[in-house]
Structures are given as C-alpha cells and as structure tokens.
C-alpha cells in the first residue's frame, strides 16, 4: 500500500484479513500495515484460506460482513485492494457453507448503485477462476464440488441476465462495457455458462458489435475466441456454429481494411479470432468447404501480413488442419491451393530485407528466430502437397532467378537465398531414395552466386540432406569440396555452418568418406590453425565419426595420424624452457581436439590395434610433463584431466601400468594447486582400475586418498567435532566463507565422488584410514550447501557408510568387517549430533525435494545402529531448527512419534515420522511463500 494511504485504509486492511479474533474487535494498532502486491495476494488475504477454521460460525459471519462493508467503502480503489478483497470474498464464499447465496448478497450490496457496479463486475470476473481453479483451500473434494456447483453452476443463468442488463443499460461507459465482456469471458472459460446460453442472449450480438469500438475490441475478441472454443461438439453445438459463421465471414472486409491500414493491433486480434475458428472447425472446413473455406482465406490473409510477430499465430491451425487432411482420402482443391499460397507467403517472409546490415541486433535475432520456427509449417505444406511438389516449387524459383541473372536482368540475392533456405527447412521430409528433384537441386549448388548468405543456405542444404547423400555418394566429392571451401569464407556464420555440415555428413556417410581421409588430413594441417576453435572442434568430431567404424588396424593408424599432430604440438611446448600464454592456449585447444575425437571413438575393445600398442606410454609422457610444468594453470588442468580420462577409457587395461604414476602426479598437483579437476581424475582412476591387484597401484591409491583427504580437510576448514560444545546451535556448523568460489564447490563434489568410488572398490582405504574421522565432517559440511548435486552425493555416500554390510554382522562376513563396523560406529557417535541437526535443518530448509527419501533412510539406519544416542540427539536438534520452518505443534508431534518409534524399535515408524515432518515443513514453506507474496 502506498505510504500516502490514509490510516482508515490501514485499519481496514488489518481488520479485514485477520482471522484469529472476531473482526469487530480489531484495531489498527494491533496489526502490521496492509501492503498489496502486484506479485500475488496479500499475506493477510491468505489467512482467509489457511486460518478460517479458527473462527466459529458467528465470527465467520462477522468477517463476511466486514469484507462486504470494506468492498463497498473502497469501491473506487485502490485497485490492488479491490482485487484482494474480491479474492478474499471468493475464498470465504467457497469455504463458508452457511453463507446461503453469496452472489445475491454481493449483487444487492454493489449492484444497485452505479458507482459500485464496476466493483461488482470485478468480483464476478474474479470469482469463477478463483473457485474453479482453487487447489489450496482446506476442504474435501466433495465439499469443494458442492460449493462450486452452488456458487457457479447454479448462478450461471442469473449472471448472464445481469450482464445482459448492464450491457443494454443507458449511460454505461466503455470501461464498464469492457468489464461486462471480461466477466463473460471468465464465466465462459470455466464452463459455467455455455455457448448455447450466450447465443440465446443479446450478449451474443453485443460482443460482435464491440469489435467496432477500440475500447471493447480486445475484450470482444477474447469472448468470441472463448465462445468458439466451447463449440467443439459439433452435433450439440451446430446451432451456435451456424449463428457464428455468417458473423465471422462478414468480418473479412474489416480485416482487409485493417491489413491495408497496417493496423497491427486489429490484425493481430482478427488473426487470433479466425485462427481459433479454423482450429476448432478444421473438420468442418474439409466436409463443407463452401461454407467454412472463407475462414481459411482470412487466415491466409493474416499469414501473408508483413508483421512476423503475427504470422506465427496462424501456424497451429495449419498444423492441425494438415493432420486432419492426412486422414482424408479426398482433399478439397481450394484447401490444397491454400497450402500452395501459404508456401509462397512463407518463402516471401524468408527474404532478408534489402539492406540487412541496417537491422538492429534485436531485429536480426527476431528474424533468424522466425526463419527457423517457420520450418515446421513448411513441413506441414510437404505433408499436404507432397515433398516433391514443394521442392519443385522452390527449384523453379531458384532457376528462374538464375535465368534472369544470366540474361542481364537485375536479380537480388534474396530471391535465390529464400527458396534455397526453404529447401533446407524441408530436409526432414525428403525421401532419402529420391532420384529426381533433390538431384536437380544439388546440381544447382555449384552454379549459385558466391554471396555469403547464399553459400550459408547451400551449406545448410548439404547438412540437412546428409542422409540423402549417403544413398547418393557420387555427390560427396563436390559437397566435401564445397564445405571445405566454406571454412575459408570471411563470414564466420558460413564457416560455422560448414563445420556443422561436415559433422552430419561424416556421421551419416561414414563408410563413403574413408577414401577422403588424406584430403581431410591435408585440410586440417593447412587450414586448421586458421579456423576458430569451435569450427576446428566440429571438423575433428566429423573425422572421428569416419574413423570409428573403420576396420580396427586402419582405424588405429588413422587415429594415430591425426592424434600425433596434436601431441607433437604439445611436446614442442613442454620441451621449451618457458611458454607464452598464447602457446598454452594453443595447447589447451589441442587437448580439446584430442578429447573430442576420443569421445566419439571411445574404445576399440579389449585388444588394441598394433598402431596403438605403445601410444599410451608416448602420450602420457607428454601429458605428465605438461601437468608437472603447467598444471598450475587452471584451464590447462581442466583440459588435460579430461583427455586423460578419455585415454583411460580408450586404452583400458593397457594403461593400467601408468595408473600409479598418474595417481601420484595428480595427487601432488592437487596438493599444490587445490584444483578440483585433479581430485575428479583420481576418482576416475579408481573407477577404471580400483579392482586391480597390482600392489604398486593399491599403494598409490591408499597414499593418494590420504593426501587428498588431508588437503580437502584443510581447504574446507571444517571445525573438528571435538571442538564443538554439545548443544551448540546448528547454524554454527555453516562455516563462514566456505565455498566462496566455484572451484571450492567443485572440490567438495569431486571429493564426495572420490570417496564413493573408494568405498565401492577399496573400502579398506576409507573405513580403516586414519583420515576417516576427519573426512566424515567434510562430508557433513557438504550438507550445508544449497547445491542439489552436492547434497545428493553427500546423502548417497552417508547412506553407503551407515548401511555398509559390516553393520549387519553375519558368520559369512570377512574378519575385517568387524573393524569396519567399529570405525563407522565410533565416527558416527562422535559426529552424531551435528549429523542429525544437519539432516533435519537441511530437510526443512534447503535440501531438494527428491532427497527426502534418502533422509528418511538415513534416520532409519541411525535408529537401527545408534538408537539410544539418537534419542538424545533429537530434542536439541529439533529445538534449534529455524523458527519459521516448522510450527511448534509439528515439532512436538515429531519428537513424540520418534520417541515412541525408538522405544518400540519400530524402524518403519521412524521413516514415517520423518516423512510426516517433511510434509509439515512443506506446508509451512507454502504458507511462508504465500505470506511473502
């Protein structure tokens, strides 16, 4: 509420919405000022929803009377207050069963005085949507349906009579007439008045008449669209449809006038109207074109309009009509002609303006966006007319433009580019076995002018027709040459399109491109350094698609050919005494290219080709030197670790011999830099080689984990549990300044993944490690982050620890399981209070919703292994939860339920108590959000 609002308004706001005391006895001093918000209902309004049960019958009647008195008093505004009063009255009417006829009371209170009629209309407009769409009112489904029927269905005819009276009353302003139409739309949308009911009243003609007045135009369009939408049952609604169609057809001259006057607002409105009619009556268009085809013509006029914000409004109709046509054996010729006309209009819209360089960035982005979304409608044209026919049309457009140019006539490049680009957009509809029209289009490409936009469109055609090219490999030489030449174009978009097209061609035409490997290798050697990195990545990815299906020996030699070029460049840099930043950037680019190829190829299997037998040692020597020398450069560390990870996947067991050296190298790099990428790579080494029995590798795994745990503990600065006094507030565990940057977040996430891998493959090194007591608080610290992935990983790891097989003893278990269980019990006992507090506070505040089941499982495990301790940890932990997160009744109920479950040893009740607590916290969050809004 504005600071200038009089005290009376603040008094009213407090008196109106407070629900715990009889409103007749409230005073302004008792409550905070009322502040309506444009974002949603006021928090006090929500008390009508959430707290109404706290009032007895007489108090509810007093609240109702107060609200009605307030809406009368503030009938002239402010509007936010009126809207919230309407919402409050709607919510009260829905819940207050003893209120016999709310609408009649409001009509009597507001409908007799012309100055309060707008307020009545506002209430009647709000009511249907607020009642029909209300999912948060705390009443049963049966009660809701009964109240909805009483409030809306039973009053539909009376509301129509009232609206009819106001629409015909003398002296009604356009603003009130617009409110009448808005109210009618609201009741139509919720289905509480039917199309038949409206058509039987003067409101039907009033709505059409409103189209002639600027103030009523949009509300009238909304009503008519809603009316049409409600006439989808043709057998039942045919009388209404027969009344609508002549009126709609009669609007075509008005639409033509708006098109000629370039009145975009009117054109948009009529476009919406005719499109809604077309979508709804599409089957009738096909069955009775003589009556309904004028709708198609009107939509066609809108589709030809120059405003590219309006044209897409027509697209859903074209799609639905095309789908309906697909089910019909015969299609009326006018409908087919309409799709041919549509295709011509779309290609016209695809034309760049005469001077595209004068377009603003916004206009350019908007135009490019349109050129891509229009592709679906061109596919609809293909669906109706046949792809060959559509392609032939574009082919003739291009050949005619080329013929004019050859005769010396002036031809704009746009006349060639637009139909050529439409060929690209229709590519998905082409039959790959077509031997006619696509071949003719491909034969045209070498003859096209060398304009950048035309070259871009031609390259996009090659890209879209890669599957066709696979069936017609004789076109590969010219296409490949054309694409490689595109990389040398000064227009970066042309080069980018060439990279994309290369990728698709190599992916779809793998076997046909093997003979062209020498040409591709020559290209990357001569042109590679001149390309942008994004384009080089596409080229190398494309080459990898050609290599992947080759026979193993040939694939190995080819991969080595391209890879050694990159490794040689890296070797040259690491061999120098010092490297410049630009040189290191080039190294990072080479690593990225190598990774791109390995991601596509992945692996040759258990047996490596002869060409790759010694490659792992050769490559690793250079990568090891790179980490040693330049691992302190973050961008180098990221790229080299990703390449090594892909290398482990590619070489498999053949690279296991390098694992001990690799672990020590990346472990030392993590010690010196703290970069998370080195921690991440350790986890990958464990994942690939953790089951190896090699003593050297096992020792390296153990030593690296110890070092990394100590380093992570130091980086995170986790306070030792022994330093935390019993009963200290849970928020104190949230370390100030923790995770101040993205690398710190990555450190804890990658450390969690490392521990998960270690616990899976090498549990000795986790559970029997001297660092286990210090690494456990590091895991708990992860629970304080508002980061779903980190929280989920931490909870998974904690469940693995608490639920380890050693915690359920059996005779068949290995002897060391006793040591595992002892370590787990002692560590959890020391950290239990912190653990429980973080689980509870996280669940009721920041944990993602899908983590609740994990939390419940953890409490079940705690109750099974630490029952007595858990009973002592819970009360202070619950007491320290944020005040707004849970009401006191929910806290008390939870503690009682948990005490009973622990006393009985009923673990299922422990789980259900946690889930119940979570539901209570969710309700508290919902109320809090409502109040804030």
């Amino acid at each position: 509420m504005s600071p200038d609002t009089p005290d009376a308004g603040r008094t009213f706001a407090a008196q109106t919405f407070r629900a715990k005391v009889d409103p007749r006895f409230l005073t302004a001093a008792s409550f905070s000022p009322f502040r309506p918000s444009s974002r949603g209902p006021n928090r006090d309004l929500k008390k009508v929803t959430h707290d109404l049960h706290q009032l007895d019958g007489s108090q509810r009647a007093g609240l109702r009377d107060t609200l009605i008195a307030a809406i009368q008093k503030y009938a002239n505004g402010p509007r936010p207050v009126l809207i919230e009063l309407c919402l409050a009255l709607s919510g009260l009417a829905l819940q207050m069963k003893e209120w016999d006829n709310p609408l009649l009371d409001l009509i009597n209170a507001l409908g007799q005085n012309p100055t309060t009629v707008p307020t009545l209309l506002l209430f009647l407009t709000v009511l249907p949507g607020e009642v029909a769409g209300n999912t948060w009112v705390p009443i049963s489904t049966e009660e809701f349906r009964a109240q909805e029927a009483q409030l809306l269905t039973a009053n539909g005819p009376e509301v129509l009579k009232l609206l009819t009276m106001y629409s015909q009353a003398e002296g009604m302003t356009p603003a009130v007439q617009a409110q009448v139409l808005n109210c009618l739309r609201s009741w139509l949308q919720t289905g509480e008045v039917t199309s038949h009911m409206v058509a039987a009243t003067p409101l039907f003609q009033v709505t059409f008449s409103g189209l002639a007045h600027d103030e009523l135009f949009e509300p009238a369009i909304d009503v008519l669209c809603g009316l049409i939408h409600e006439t989808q049952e043709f057998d039942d609604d045919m009388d209404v449809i027969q009344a609508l169609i002549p009126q709609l057809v009669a609007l075509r001259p008005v639409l033509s006038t708006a098109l000629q006057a370039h009145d975009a607002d009117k054109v948009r409105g009529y476009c919406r109207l005719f499109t809604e009619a077309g979508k709804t009556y599409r089957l009738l268009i096909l069955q009775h074109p003589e009556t309904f085809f004028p709708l198609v013509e009107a939509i066609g006029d809108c589709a030809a309009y120059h405003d590219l914000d309006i044209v897409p409004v027509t697209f859903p109709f074209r799609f639905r009509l095309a789908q309906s046509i697909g089910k019909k054996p015969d299609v009326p010729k006018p409908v087919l002609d309409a799709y041919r006309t549509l295709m011509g209009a779309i290609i016209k819209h695809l034309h760049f303006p005469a001077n595209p360089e004068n377009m603003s960035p916004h206009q350019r982005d908007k135009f490019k966006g349109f050129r891509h979304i229009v592709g679906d409608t061109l596919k609809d044209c293909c669906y109706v007319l046949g792809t060959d026919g559509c392609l032939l049309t574009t082919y003739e457009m291009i050949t005619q433009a080329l013929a004019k140019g050859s005769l010396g006539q002036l031809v704009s490049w746009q006349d060639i580019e637009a139909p050529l680009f439409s060929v690209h957009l229709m590519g998905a509809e082409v039959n790959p076995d077509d031997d006619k029209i696509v071949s003719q289009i491909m034969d045209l490409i070498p003859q096209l002018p060398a304009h950048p936009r035309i070259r871009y469109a031609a390259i996009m055609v090659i890209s879209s027709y890669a599957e066709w090219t696979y069936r017609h490999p004789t076109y590969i030489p010219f296409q490949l040459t054309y694409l490689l030449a595109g990389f040398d174009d000064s227009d970066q978009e042309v080069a980018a399109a060439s990279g994309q097209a290369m990728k698709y061609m190599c992916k779809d035409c793998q076997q046909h491109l093997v003979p062209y490997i020498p040409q591709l290798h020559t290209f990357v050697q001569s042109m590679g350094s001149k390309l942008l990195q994004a384009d080089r990545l596409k080229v190398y990815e494309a080459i990898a698609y050609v290599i992947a299906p080759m026979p193993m020996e040939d694939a190995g030699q080819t991969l080595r050919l391209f890879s050694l070029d990159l490794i040689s460049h890296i070797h040259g840099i690491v061999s120098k005494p010092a490297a410049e930043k630009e040189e290191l950037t080039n190294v990072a680019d080479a690593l990225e290219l190598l990774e791109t190829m390995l991601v596509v190829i992945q692996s040759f299997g258990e047996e490596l080709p002869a060409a790759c037998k010694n490659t792992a040692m050769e490559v690793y020597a250079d990568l090891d030197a790179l980490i040693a020398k330049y691992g302190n450069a973050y961008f180098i560390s990221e790229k080299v670790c990703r390449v090594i990870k892909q290398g482990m996947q590619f070489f498999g067991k053949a690279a296991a011999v390098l694992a001990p050296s690799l672990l020590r190298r990346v472990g030392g790099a993590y010690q010196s830099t703290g970069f998370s990428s080195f921690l991440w790579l350790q986890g990958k080494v464990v994942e690939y080689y953790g089951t190896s029995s090699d003593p050297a590798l096992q020792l390296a795994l153990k030593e690296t984990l110890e070092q990394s745990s100590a380093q992570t503990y130091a980086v995170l600065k986790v306070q030792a549990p022994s330093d935390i006094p019993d009963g200290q507030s849970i928020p104190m565990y949230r370390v100030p300044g923790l995770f101040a940057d993205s690398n710190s977040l990555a450190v804890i996430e990658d450390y969690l993944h490392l521990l998960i891998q270690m616990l899976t493959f090498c549990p000795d090194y986790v559970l029997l490690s001297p660092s286990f007591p210090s690494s456990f608080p590091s895991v708990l610290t992860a629970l304080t982050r508002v980061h779903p992935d980190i929280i989920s990983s931490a909870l998974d790891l904690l469940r693995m620890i608490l639920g380890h097989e050693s915690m359920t003893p059996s005779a068949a278990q290995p002897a060391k399981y006793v040591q595992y269980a002892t370590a787990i019990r002692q560590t959890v006992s020391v950290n239990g209070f912190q653990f429980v507090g973080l689980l509870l506070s996280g669940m009721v505040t920041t944990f993602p919703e899908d983590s609740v089941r994990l939390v419940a499982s953890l409490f079940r495990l705690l109750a099974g292994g630490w029952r007595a301790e858990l009973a002592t940890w819970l009360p202070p932990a619950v007491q320290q939860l944020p005040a707004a997160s849970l009401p006191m009744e929910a806290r008390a109920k939870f503690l009682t339920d948990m005490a009973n479950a622990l006393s009985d040893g009923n673990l299922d009740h422990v789980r259900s108590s946690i889930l119940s607590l979570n539901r209570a916290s969710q309700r508290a969050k919902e109320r809090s959000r409502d109040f804030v809004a």
Side-chain angles (χ1 to χ4, degrees), residues 515-546:
Y516 300 94
I517 285 291
Q519 182 182 351
L520 293 172
H521 184 246
T522 300
F523 172 77
V524 296
Q525 283 189 314
S526 60
M527 288 289 297
S529 60
K530 301 177 183 178
L531 301 179
L532 295 175
Q533 177 67 359
D535 298 331
R536 293 176 71 195
L537 286 170
K538 292 174 185 174
V539 171
Y540 274 84
E541 182 182 0
I543 293 169
Y545 282 120
V546 179

Side-chain angles (χ1 to χ4, degrees), residues 401-475:
L402 291 175
K404 289 180 181 179
S406 65
L407 296 175
Q409 299 180 26
L410 182 63
V411 177
S412 70
W413 61 265
Q414 290 92 336
D415 290 337
I416 299 173
E417 191 276 343
L420 187 62
F421 190 78
S422 71
V423 172
H424 150 62
L425 293 174
M426 293 185 283
E429 302 301 311
V430 169
N431 180 0
D433 294 319
D434 174 81
D435 292 321
K436 298 178 182 178
I437 186 62
V438 178
S439 299
Q440 296 179 55
I441 292 173
M442 290 297 175
D443 291 337
L444 275 181
I445 290 179
Q447 308 171 37
L448 298 175
H451 190 282
R453 291 293 93 202
I454 295 177
R455 181 179 286 273
Y456 174 87
I459 290 171
M460 294 303 292
V461 169
I462 294 173
S463 175
S464 300
Y465 289 71
E467 188 178 353
W468 179 90
T469 302
Y470 172 75
R471 307 286 180 89
H472 303 79
T474 55
Y475 284 89

Side-chain angles (χ1 to χ4, degrees), residues 104-280:
L104 180 60
D105 289 347
L106 267 297
I107 290 171
N108 290 335
L110 302 171
Q112 313 304 319
N113 186 340
T115 62
T116 58
V117 166
T119 303
L120 174 62
L121 291 172
L122 179 61
F123 170 75
L124 293 175
T125 303
V126 167
L127 180 67
E130 185 67 9
V131 171
N134 201 320
T135 59
W136 55 86
V137 169
I139 59 177
S140 68
T141 302
E142 292 74 17
E143 291 175 319
F144 174 81
R145 288 173 179 168
Q147 288 295 99
E148 182 184 29
Q150 179 184 346
L151 285 171
L152 301 182
T153 309
N155 285 299
E158 295 304 318
V159 170
L160 279 182
K161 290 179 182 178
L162 185 71
L163 296 179
T164 301
M165 180 188 71
Y166 286 140
S167 69
Q168 296 177 327
E170 294 184 4
M172 284 296 173
T173 65
V176 174
Q177 292 174 326
Q179 278 192 283
V180 168
L181 293 174
N182 286 331
C183 184
L184 177 59
R185 174 183 56 84
S186 179
W187 283 76
L188 263 173
Q189 280 182 335
T190 53
E192 300 302 338
V193 299
T194 67
S195 57
H196 290 273
M197 295 166 65
V198 176
T201 71
L203 290 171
F204 184 80
Q205 191 57 49
V206 165
T207 305
F208 275 102
S209 299
L211 296 174
H213 303 279
D214 291 343
E215 300 92 335
L216 306 181
F217 181 77
E218 285 297 331
I221 290 290
D222 289 338
V223 170
L224 290 173
C225 287
L227 193 62
I228 292 168
H229 185 76
E230 294 301 317
T231 58
Q232 300 188 44
E233 300 295 333
F234 299 154
D235 292 339
D236 298 333
D237 300 324
M238 188 52 69
D239 56 337
V240 181
I241 296 172
Q242 290 174 339
L244 278 167
I245 292 301
Q247 299 265 29
L248 292 173
V249 172
L251 293 174
R252 284 202 63 197
V254 186
L255 170 62
S256 298
T257 301
L259 289 166
Q260 293 170 8
H262 300 295
D263 188 339
D265 290 336
K266 290 289 177 66
V267 173
R268 182 180 290 104
Y270 286 123
C271 184
R272 285 177 51 213
L273 178 60
F274 283 112
T275 299
E276 184 64 42
K279 288 189 298 183
T280 304

Side-chain angles (χ1 to χ4, degrees), residues 776 794-808 824-825 828-829 835-836 839 853-870 873 898 902 905-912 914:
F776 192 83
L795 292 174
D796 281 333
L797 176 58
L798 289 166
R799 184 172 60 175
M800 289 176 67
I801 294 172
L802 271 67
H804 193 270
E805 291 177 309
S806 62
M807 298 302 293
T808 53
I824 293 171
R825 289 185 191 282
V828 173
S829 295
F835 186 14
V836 169
L839 286 177
R853 302 287 175 183
L854 276 173
V855 174
S857 296
L858 285 169
F859 269 100
R860 199 176 190 280
L861 292 169
L862 284 168
W866 294 265
R867 186 190 306 181
E869 294 96 325
L870 181 58
W873 294 332
M898 285 293 290
L902 293 174
N906 192 326
L907 301 185
D908 288 337
H909 284 181
V910 169
R911 184 175 181 275
S912 63
I914 293 295

